[in-house]
Amino acid sequence: MSAPAKDAVLHLDKVERVYVSGASELPVLKGAELAIRPGELVALVAPSGAGKSTLLHMAGLLEKPDRGEVFIGGVATGSLDDQARTGLRRTEIGFVYQFHHLLPEFSALENCIIPQMIAGLTRGEATERARQLLAYLRIDQRADHRPAELSGGEQQRVAIARAFANAPRLLLADEPTGNLDPKTSDHVFEALTTLVRETELAGLVATHNLALARRMDRTVTLKDGLVVPYEEG
Ligand code: ADP
């Protein structure tokens, strides 16, 4: 039996993942170890195909490892059923993707209200928190606009507000600024990191942007299926 790393919000413990297609096997993770503590922001920088998405999917309970364990807040998730995994994902984990994935037919405000109502809050409670988050991200003026009426940077701010809506303990982001121009990317990143630090979240951000990675607490990479410290140069 493996044990969770002390105080870690996310702990990947010797995680293995092999993709099998036909007769061929592709081992992507070969015993990956990673622990992230509250308030800690970790960058994941690795070449395409190294396994970043696979690792994020494991951490986000979207896929199960073939071996090893994923602990969220000290809870071993491997033996949980789908309903329990979905429950943990909704309450403990926030996701930000490269493309915002907002619901196009709903306003910015509604996009932040809906996940909270799914998690059981009343419309009143959800609306109040959604407004606070949009104000914090300085897009409250655009609260009633649909995603298509917002700029790329505004859409991504709404996506961040939505990710924080259920006050998760873990934030997972996959190239959250990859689709933005450098200046907008900088502003969005600043908003993201400030929220992570103020709310004592644990954050794992996959990015190709080394300048942004340097502003996080540490940077890791994937090498031959293992998580190792990233060394520049
Ligand atoms: P990254 O996010 O770093 O680009 P991925 O985690 O997406 O890497 O993929 C790692 C490797 O696993 C790649 O070679 C990819 O083709 C392969 N892979 C990813 N998902 C699957 C899948 N569902 N079935 C088979 N192979 C996959």
Side-chain angles (χ1 to χ4, degrees):
M1 265 301 265
S2 55
K6 199 171 176 307
D7 302 329
V9 176
L10 169 69
H11 178 194
L12 302 180
D13 188 20
K14 301 186 192 69
V15 164
E16 297 182 24
R17 183 76 173 112
V18 183
Y19 289 117
V20 181
S21 63
S24 69
E25 290 195 347
L26 179 67
V28 176
L29 301 177
K30 302 181 189 170
E33 279 286 337
L34 178 65
I36 309 184
R37 296 188 161 72
E40 193 182 24
L41 194 53
V42 177
L44 173 60
V45 175
S48 190
K52 298 183 296 298
S53 302
T54 304
L55 190 111
L56 285 171
H57 288 165
M58 299 292 158
L61 309 183
L62 296 164
E63 273 186 66
K64 276 190 184 181
D66 297 307
R67 282 213 192 87
E69 185 60 276
V70 177
F71 295 95
I72 303 286
V75 173
T77 61
S79 55
L80 299 178
D81 62 20
D82 284 350
Q83 198 185 354
R85 288 165 68 85
T86 304
L88 260 187
R89 198 182 307 126
R90 277 196 194 133
T91 55
E92 305 284 0
I93 308 173
F95 296 88
V96 181
Y97 303 95
Q98 178 173 2
F99 300 99
H100 55 79
H101 292 302
L102 296 169
L103 300 170
E105 66 274 34
F106 292 100
S107 71
L109 187 70
E110 287 162 339
N111 265 282
C112 298
I113 289 174
I114 291 165
Q116 298 181 73
M117 291 186 67
I118 291 172
L121 265 72
T122 65
R123 177 171 278 277
E125 291 164 337
T127 305
E128 190 182 335
R129 180 162 170 86
R131 286 206 184 280
Q132 281 170 356
L133 278 165
L134 292 178
Y136 187 87
L137 289 157
R138 285 181 275 141
I139 33 165
D140 41 331
Q141 311 283 356
R142 317 286 283 154
D144 296 326
H145 291 259
R146 291 182 184 190
E149 298 161 348
L150 303 174
S151 72
E154 288 169 341
Q155 289 168 345
Q156 213 50 341
R157 280 168 192 264
V158 177
I160 292 169
R162 178 191 51 184
F164 279 81
N166 284 334
R169 293 208 283 168
L170 173 66
L171 180 88
L172 300 172
D174 196 357
E175 289 287 352
T177 62
N179 192 33
L180 305 174
D181 65 73
K183 196 163 161 234
T184 310
S185 156
D186 211 58
H187 285 151
V188 167
F189 181 76
E190 192 62 40
L192 183 76
T193 48
T194 308
L195 260 174
V196 166
R197 297 211 157 101
E198 285 192 355
T199 54
E200 283 277 290
L201 242 79
L204 178 61
V205 181
T207 181
H208 281 110
N209 188 327
L210 280 179
L212 294 187
R214 278 186 215 111
R215 288 160 57 183
M216 299 190 218
D217 297 312
R218 62 190 163 101
T219 302
V220 296
T221 188
L222 279 161
K223 203 166 180 193
D224 197 22
L226 299 177
V227 177
V228 296
Y230 179 81
E231 278 158 31
E232 285 190 47

